């Protein structure tokens, strides 16, 4: 055997021994192969099964081996459920771990800091992707007023405009014998509405009834983006990314980036003169100077794009999931339909505010988001050397949450893999079922927790209620 090969083999053995027995994460349970390599983790992510992989690992390797149901009478301690899924990565799923990892510790600053998982090399991490708590806080102070109750009410006419156009198109085209591809139409609705709300950008997908280069580029580069993220774990994966982008998409992607930059420039020029308020009002208000450097302009472009993507992607996923459950469960659909139609005598009466009084509608949305996950990754954070759910996580170890496991675990929800909106109803509601009286609703965090929880959660609720109404 050549000298170089012997050295490589010796290094591999030494590294494996270190990772298995001496690494800061070596005390956490999990499969041995996952302790020495990210191959399994990356493979499951690439095949779209990562959340289910984490759920399986928790059931197989979780520290708490007790059988537990939500109607239990025992007081056995079940804290500390954690599993190692990579050489330097562990996963929790308990509500207390979620609180400990994501809730602010000192002066509203994160204790467990975001990793670089969303750094795609654009040169600026904007707002949502920014991992530095201090930098993110500066942008948050500007943006958060755009999501106040008053600001959301001011944006309601924009939401109504796009919803009305969608309903009109469904009436016009929905009865055709061949039907409609709802995934496309819901995506067009969400993109049109998301861009308009973010920075007054118009796409006209609904109006024209067809897709755009922007959406095709987004779809065509999605898997490549996943590979770039996974290259943080296995570097060579990043080299494969360009080979998974169709040539046509590669040709148009530069134009898409340029078009977004131009849209932001137009929005800057129109400060104080837009037809309606948007999320960028507080980033580029008329009393602020125009960005004077390329870096400042790039930052605004990133913030605008992130507000746009965050404003349409999870929304269109939940739109689609809600229709799926309505079709799958006719009795649920009948109850929801009756509640809505008994509450309004005309179409014009249906507003986000009026819909807040509909308890079954609220419960239906909550159960939809519990049973249908919108995000695949577990919002990984780097431990500063602190405890999560009573378990000490050494400094530098990456920890994350398996939201799917929490929201589908029998410890917290009875019949966890079944769809039951009544579990969310007030106990005095006629349709409330005592069977779900002991469900632990703290194991439900679709918008995350702490200072990084979804900034647009209230307007998302408003959109979901209005869509279903």
């Amino acid at each position: 055997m050549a000298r170089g090969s012997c050295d490589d083999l010796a290094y591999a053995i030494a590294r494996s021994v270190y990772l298995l027995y001496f690494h800061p994460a070596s005390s956490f349970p999990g499969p041995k192969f996952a302790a020495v390599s990210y191959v399994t983790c990356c493979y499951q992510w690439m095949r779209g099964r990562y959340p289910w992989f984490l759920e399986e690992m928790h059931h197989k390797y979780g520290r708490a081996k007790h059988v537990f149901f939500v109607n239990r009478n025992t007081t056995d301690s079940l804290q500390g459920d954690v599993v190692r899924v990579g050489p330097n990565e562990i996963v929790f799923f308990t509500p207390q771990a979620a609180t400990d990892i994501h809730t602010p510790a000192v002066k509203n600053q994160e204790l467990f800091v975001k990793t670089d998982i969303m750094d795609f090399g654009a040169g600026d991490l904007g707002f949502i992707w920014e991992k530095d708590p201090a930098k993110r806080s500066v942008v948050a102070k500007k943006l958060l007023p755009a999501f106040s109750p008053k600001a959301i009410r001011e944006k309601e006419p924009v939401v109504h405009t796009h919803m009305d156009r969608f309903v009109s198109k469904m009436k016009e085209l929905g009865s055709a014998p061949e039907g409609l591809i709802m995934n496309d139409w819901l995506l067009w609705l969400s993109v049109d509405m998301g861009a308009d709300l973010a920075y007054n950008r118009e796409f006209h997908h609904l109006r024209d009834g067809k897709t755009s280069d922007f959406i095709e580029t987004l779809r065509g580069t999605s898997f490549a983006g996943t590979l770039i993220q996974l290259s943080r774990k296995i570097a060579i994966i990043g080299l494969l990314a360009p080979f998974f982008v169709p040539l046509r998409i590669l040709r148009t992607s530069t134009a898409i980036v340029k078009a977004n930059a131009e849209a932001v420039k137009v929005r800057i020029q129109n400060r104080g003169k837009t037809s309606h308020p948007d999320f960028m009002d507080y980033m580029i208000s008329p009393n602020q100077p125009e960005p004077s450097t390329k870096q400042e302009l790039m930052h605004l472009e990133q913030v605008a794009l992130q507000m746009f993507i965050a404003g349409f992607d999870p929304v269109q996923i939940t739109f689609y999931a809600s229709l799926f459950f309505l079709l799958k469960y006719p009795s649920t659909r009948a109850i929801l339909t009756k509640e809505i139609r008994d509450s309004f005598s005309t179409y014009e009466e249906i507003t986000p505010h009026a819909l807040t009084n509909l308890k079954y509608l609220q419960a239906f949305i909550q159960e939809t988001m519990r049973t249908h996950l919108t995000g695949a990754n577990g919002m990984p954070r780097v431990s500063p050397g602190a405890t999560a759910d009573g378990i000490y996580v050494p400094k530098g170890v990456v920890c994350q949450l398996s939201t799917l496991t929490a929201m589908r675990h029998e410890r917290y929800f009875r019949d966890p893999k079944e769809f039951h909106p009544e579990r969310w109803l007030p106990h005095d509601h006629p349709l409330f079922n005592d069977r779900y009286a002991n469900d632990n609703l703290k194991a439900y965090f679709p918008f995350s927790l702490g200072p990084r929880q979804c900034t647009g959660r209230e307007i998302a609720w408003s959109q979901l209620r209005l869509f279903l109404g």
Side-chain angles (χ1 to χ4, degrees), residues 184 187-192 203 205 210-221 249 256 308 312:
D184 287 341
L187 179 58
W188 295 342
L189 164 63
S190 303
V191 169
D192 284 0
F203 276 102
H205 294 107
K210 62 181 182 181
T211 194
S212 64
D213 287 342
F214 174 84
I215 286 181
E216 291 304 303
T217 299
L218 211 60
R219 285 173 163 170
T221 57
I249 299 300
I256 295 303
F308 169 30
F312 85 78

Side-chain angles (χ1 to χ4, degrees), residues 54-62 65 405 408-409:
L54 296 184
E55 183 181 43
E56 180 185 348
M57 290 300 98
H58 271 295
H59 284 296
K60 188 173 182 179
Y61 294 98
K65 299 299 182 183
T405 304
R408 289 173 19 126
H409 204 289

Side-chain angles (χ1 to χ4, degrees), residues 6-211:
C6 289
D7 290 345
D8 291 342
L9 179 61
Y11 172 76
I13 293 173
R15 182 176 183 275
S16 296
V17 171
Y18 167 73
L19 290 172
L20 283 169
Y21 302 106
F22 301 102
H23 187 276
S26 60
S27 62
F28 296 100
K32 298 299 183 184
F33 186 64
V36 300
S37 173
Y38 281 109
V39 169
T40 302
C41 172
C42 292
Y43 169 70
Q44 296 293 345
W45 201 323
M46 285 189 285
R47 66 190 290 259
R49 299 295 302 172
Y50 187 64
W52 291 269
F53 163 69
L54 296 184
E55 183 181 43
E56 180 185 348
M57 290 300 98
H58 271 295
H59 284 296
K60 188 173 182 179
Y61 294 98
R63 279 187 175 175
K65 299 299 182 183
H66 309 273
V67 176
F68 177 84
F69 296 92
V70 293
N71 64 338
R72 70 186 179 97
N73 294 315
T74 179
T75 57
D76 290 348
S77 174
L78 293 169
Q79 301 301 311
D81 288 73
V82 57
V83 63
R84 187 182 186 185
V85 295
N88 191 44
E89 196 151 339
I90 61 175
V91 182
F92 291 88
F93 77 90
T94 63
Q96 187 59 52
T99 300
D100 293 340
I101 294 171
H102 292 280
T103 299
V106 180
K107 295 182 180 179
N108 206 38
Q109 293 297 315
E110 299 111 298
L111 182 61
F112 288 76
V113 179
K114 189 181 181 76
T115 68
D116 61 354
I117 190 172
M118 297 304 293
D119 187 349
F120 294 102
D124 190 288
L125 293 176
F127 173 57
I128 299 173
W129 300 347
E130 179 55 64
K131 60 180 183 289
D132 186 324
K135 289 182 179 179
R136 184 185 181 277
S137 180
V138 171
V139 186
K141 287 179 180 178
K142 295 179 181 178
L143 270 178
L144 289 182
F147 296 92
S148 68
K150 179 177 181 293
I152 291 174
R153 287 194 299 272
E154 290 173 348
K155 296 176 181 68
E156 281 185 11
V158 183
V159 178
H160 275 288
T161 296
H162 292 283
M163 293 288 185
D164 289 344
R165 185 172 292 133
F166 175 79
V167 171
S168 177
K169 285 291 184 179
M170 293 302 100
K171 288 181 177 180
E172 177 187 348
L173 305 172
S175 59
E178 65 274 17
L180 297 173
I181 305 298
M182 290 308 297
N183 196 36
D184 287 341
W185 283 92
L186 293 174
L187 179 58
W188 295 342
L189 164 63
S190 303
V191 169
D192 284 0
M193 185 165 54
D196 207 3
L197 286 169
Y199 52 141
N200 266 263
R201 187 177 179 182
E202 296 182 348
F203 276 102
H204 301 303
H205 294 107
L206 284 178
R207 184 195 68 184
D208 301 337
K210 62 181 182 181
T211 194

Side-chain angles (χ1 to χ4, degrees), residues 43 78 89 151-152 224 328 335 351-352 376 385 387 395 435 458:
Y43 169 70
L78 293 169
E89 196 151 339
I152 291 174
K328 186 174 182 179
I335 295 170
T351 66
T387 59
K395 184 177 181 179
R435 181 175 176 80
E458 294 304 327

